[in-house]
Amino acid sequence: LATALAEFAHHALFHYLGDDEVVLRREAALACSKLISNAPLCGSARVTSMIVLKRLLALGVSDPDASVRTTILASFDPRLDYY
């Protein structure tokens, strides 16, 4: 199930991270962060989680809206330290 959630984060939510609407970017980022925090640390889920995390990190430091940056950085869970 966790593998499927990581894939969902990548395929269904990933493109919303670049949306023009601040609320959509913020909520998509929060959902992605929560989903990859629960992904297993092996196999395709790990690779997918790393792709999503890389995008979240980039957005967390470069998004023009401070609320999106803050939400992303605050959403990072210690379980993501592995990556």
Side-chain angles (χ1 to χ4, degrees), residues 38-70:
N38 294 316
L41 300 176
C42 59
S44 65
R46 179 175 180 245
V47 172
T48 302
S49 294
M50 288 174 44
I51 292 168
V52 173
L53 182 59
K54 181 178 177 182
R55 177 72 171 112
L56 287 174
L57 284 169
L59 196 60
V61 297
S62 67
D63 194 273
D65 188 87
S67 70
V68 175
R69 294 190 307 268
T70 302

